Amino acid sequence: MSKVASTHFGEVELNHGRDHNLATVHQLSGKPVELDLSIKAHDHFDEAGMHKVDYRLRFLPELVDEVREMIATELEEEGTAPRQYRDFHCCELAPEKLQEIFGVEDTKDLTNKVFLNALKLGHVGIFPGDPERYFVLDFTLGSHFTDEVLVASADQDGVVDDEIEWTS
């Protein structure tokens, strides 16, 4: 089996003929983010594919900013997943939870901006065998608060899908 060095994942085995998942923690703006690289047995994943993953990860900050802008826009619209997620997770919170999660003491101070600041990128799944959902980004209010996330995906060229989903 041949191996290739990855900036983010260390030594990666190529042409392994079985499902292969690699996990690491990456610092993004000083915050830890879990990265998972999922290679399926039938994927043609070679040295160029690994270099593409490392190259695309250089643009992760811009991708995150774009998704955050989309979430901000959707928070203003009724019926969107980000709006429903916010409304569900922010209703009837005890003052100590408001302070802990959002840094405010009263629900009237829980604006979209405050909510968006509390929403963090917690996980990025990378699927080189799926060019349409190459990156899958999970945003959370924190695993200590909820196991539900807002999910956005981007294709192999870094183009973000226009649909943000709410899932657990």
Side-chain angles (χ1 to χ4, degrees):
M1 300 284 169
S2 62
K3 293 184 178 185
V4 64
S6 164
T7 306
H8 297 89
F9 294 95
E11 288 282 314
V12 177
E13 185 180 320
L14 300 175
N15 302 321
H16 44 71
R18 65 185 186 285
D19 288 357
H20 198 66
N21 296 305
L22 300 167
T24 191
V25 176
H26 175 69
Q27 293 294 317
L28 185 65
S29 302
K31 306 276 191 222
V33 175
E34 296 174 6
L35 300 178
D36 287 319
L37 176 63
S38 296
I39 306 163
K40 299 296 180 197
H42 64 276
D43 292 345
H44 175 71
F45 191 72
D46 56 11
E47 186 172 352
M50 187 68 252
H51 291 306
K52 182 177 182 175
V53 167
D54 282 333
Y55 174 77
R56 287 286 174 219
L57 282 170
R58 289 179 30 204
F59 300 99
L60 186 59
E62 291 86 353
L63 187 61
V64 170
D65 288 345
E66 184 177 346
V67 172
R68 291 181 75 73
E69 287 175 22
M70 290 174 63
I71 292 170
T73 299
E74 290 193 19
L75 284 171
E76 301 292 334
E77 301 171 18
E78 283 289 331
T80 63
R83 178 73 171 265
Q84 292 173 342
Y85 182 88
R86 186 206 61 197
D87 292 349
F88 177 80
H89 287 91
C90 297
C91 71
E92 300 182 30
L93 285 177
E96 61 272 4
K97 277 295 185 189
L98 277 170
Q99 182 63 43
E100 176 187 342
I101 305 299
F102 300 104
V104 298
E105 295 179 10
D106 195 305
T107 54
K108 68 176 173 42
D109 298 324
L110 185 52
T111 63
N112 286 346
K113 183 177 180 180
V114 168
F115 174 83
L116 197 56
N117 285 338
L119 194 63
K120 306 294 184 225
L121 176 66
H123 178 263
V124 177
I126 307 161
F127 303 91
D130 188 350
E132 298 301 314
R133 289 181 55 89
Y134 193 86
F135 285 115
V136 178
L137 296 84
D138 297 341
F139 289 83
T140 181
L141 292 171
S143 59
H144 60 285
F145 181 65
T146 180
D147 61 351
E148 298 176 327
V149 293
L150 286 175
V151 179
S153 61
D155 68 16
Q156 65 185 354
D157 297 320
V159 177
V160 179
D161 186 7
D162 62 356
E163 184 177 354
I164 297 172
E165 301 171 2
W166 171 15
T167 188
S168 55

